[in-house]
Amino acid sequence: MSKKIIVAIDGYSSCGKSTMAKAIAKSLGYSYIDTGAMYRAATLHMLNNQIPAANIEAVKSELQHLEIRFKFNPEKQVSETYLNGKNVESEIRTMRVAEQVSNYATIKEIRVAMVSQQQQMGKKKAVVLDGRDIGTVVFPEAELKIFMTASNAIRAQRRFAELKAKGEEITLQEVENNLAERDRIDSTREESPLKQAKDAKVLDNSHLNQTEQLEIALNWANEAINRQ
Ligand code: DC
């Protein structure tokens, strides 16, 4: 039997990390952990309880009422996010959450709680995680680290098409502004900012289709597995 590894995928918002992570997980028969979904679910919980990100004490104490789980939906063949027992998979992808998530993701107490849950979920390996701090903080010893990038224009176009398809009333300019703001907050925050791990392999997918990207990533994954 081949050895199991951890695949850590980091990068800016809307680079196609989750599509890639899911495809790698499927090919290798690994689990996929969407860490962004966890920060989104935590944000949704705080918004629903009218707790602003600025009120750190209230955020801290509310964390004990927060339970985030992933459950596999056999009909759709995808894993979905549950917040305190409720399926929030669609709700966490709305602009209401997107506009606030980076602010809550800067809060140390939220990060500590999410990171420890992620480490627990990945400790037996055979997992693919995507996020901002996977290769640097969550699993710095991951056998394969991929840092994904794509041009700003292409990222905005992709996210715009996604949101439009879901029926959100939004302009391309609004999506561009949201991405730029999230990139700024994610990469300049004090707590585990988004940065490329020294040993990460960079994958710029501006001009690659999904099949081409997956082929590159799977080659890297198989090399890493064979090194074990
Ligand atoms: O990947 P995403 O767009 O679903 O992530 C949502 C937000 O969560 C993103 O703006 C930054 C934050 N995030 C984070 O800080 N650390 C992670 N590991 C994953 C996401």
Side-chain angles (χ1 to χ4, degrees), residues 54-139:
N55 190 345
I56 305 285
E57 282 311 312
V59 167
K60 249 201 291 193
S61 85
E62 192 56 34
L63 272 175
Q64 54 187 317
H65 305 297
L66 180 71
E67 192 218 42
I68 300 168
R69 293 257 174 276
F70 292 110
K71 267 195 224 163
F72 192 71
N73 177 337
E75 246 167 61
K76 294 190 186 160
Q77 288 286 303
V78 289
S79 140
E80 296 180 324
T81 315
Y82 282 73
L83 168 62
N84 294 339
K86 181 179 171 223
N87 185 333
V88 291
E89 189 55 38
S90 310
E91 217 178 335
I92 58 170
R93 314 283 166 196
T94 56
M95 277 303 277
R96 174 178 171 237
V97 172
E99 276 169 4
Q100 289 295 326
V101 61
S102 285
N103 293 326
Y104 288 94
T106 60
I107 300 172
K108 184 176 178 189
E109 286 75 10
I110 291 193
R111 302 206 68 83
V112 169
M114 299 298 123
V115 168
S116 115
Q117 199 178 337
Q118 290 152 16
Q119 288 171 334
Q120 191 62 26
M121 292 190 282
K123 70 176 184 210
K124 292 193 180 145
K125 302 204 176 187
V127 282
V128 183
L129 300 96
D130 75 333
R132 306 292 187 290
D133 58 346
I134 311 302
T136 51
V137 175
V138 183
F139 286 114

Side-chain angles (χ1 to χ4, degrees), residues 13 17 35-36 39-40 93 101-102 105 111 131-134 182 186 189:
S13 299
K17 297 187 299 293
T35 68
Y39 289 94
R40 286 170 181 268
R93 314 283 166 196
V101 61
S102 285
R111 302 206 68 83
R132 306 292 187 290
D133 58 346
I134 311 302
R182 282 208 281 154
D186 293 346
R189 69 181 176 220

